[in-house]
């Protein structure tokens, strides 16, 4: 919901699969996504509309919406999946073999 979408005058007529965002993923063979990043949507009205489209409760994200409502500038970010990178470097076939704190559920 927070990824900035490319401006497109026909966006209302596009399916979700046809909408492009300002984002990037770095994929490694046999591992998958190692790094993901995007520009964040900073337009309050667009975010409110996106919340409605996705069926998200605005009250749970009031802190996030308030940042945009009261003048937050453009931001971007990325996340490096160190555990996935370790999978690739160490030649492991499963992320559970390299994570420091495995999850069991």
């Amino acid at each position: 919901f927070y990824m900035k979408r490319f401006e497109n005058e026909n966006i209302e007529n596009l399916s979700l699969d046809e909408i492009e965002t300002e984002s990037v993923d770095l994929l490694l063979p046999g591992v998958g996504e190692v790094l993901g990043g995007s520009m964040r949507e900073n337009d309050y009205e667009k975010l409110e509309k996106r919340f409605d489209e996705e069926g998200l409760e605005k009250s749970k994200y009031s802190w996030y919406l308030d940042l945009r409502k009261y003048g937050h500038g453009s931001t971007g970010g990325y996340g490096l999946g160190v555990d996935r990178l370790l999978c690739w470097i160490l030649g492991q076939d499963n992320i559970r073999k390299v994570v420091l704190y495995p999850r069991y559920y």
Side-chain angles (χ1 to χ4, degrees):
F1 71 90
Y2 59 83
M3 285 187 255
K4 192 168 188 74
R5 294 177 175 174
F6 281 113
E7 294 298 324
N8 187 323
E9 51 194 54
N10 297 320
I11 200 164
E12 301 299 326
N13 300 323
L14 297 176
S15 71
L16 285 178
D17 290 336
E18 296 173 310
I19 296 173
E20 296 176 335
T21 61
E22 296 183 31
S23 57
V24 63
D25 289 325
L26 175 62
L27 306 173
L28 289 176
V31 177
E33 182 183 333
V34 175
L35 183 137
S38 69
M39 291 301 293
R40 309 301 196 245
E41 181 59 70
N42 60 329
D43 184 299
Y44 181 75
E45 285 82 27
K46 287 181 183 178
L47 273 173
E48 274 199 317
K49 183 178 178 186
R50 195 97 37 87
F51 272 76
D52 293 337
E53 290 171 355
E54 298 291 331
L56 297 171
E57 290 182 49
K58 294 176 192 170
S59 61
K60 290 184 178 181
Y61 299 92
S62 60
W63 61 272
Y64 190 82
L65 289 169
D66 283 349
L67 286 172
R68 275 61 188 173
K69 185 177 187 177
Y70 298 111
H72 192 273
S74 296
T75 61
Y78 72 94
L80 174 63
V82 175
D83 43 9
R84 293 174 192 241
L85 184 60
L86 281 173
C87 259
W88 182 66
I89 292 170
L90 299 173
Q92 297 298 315
D93 62 347
N94 193 310
I95 198 167
R96 292 181 180 183
K97 295 178 180 177
V98 301
V99 295
L100 184 57
Y101 302 105
R103 292 182 230 169
Y104 299 101
Y105 46 94

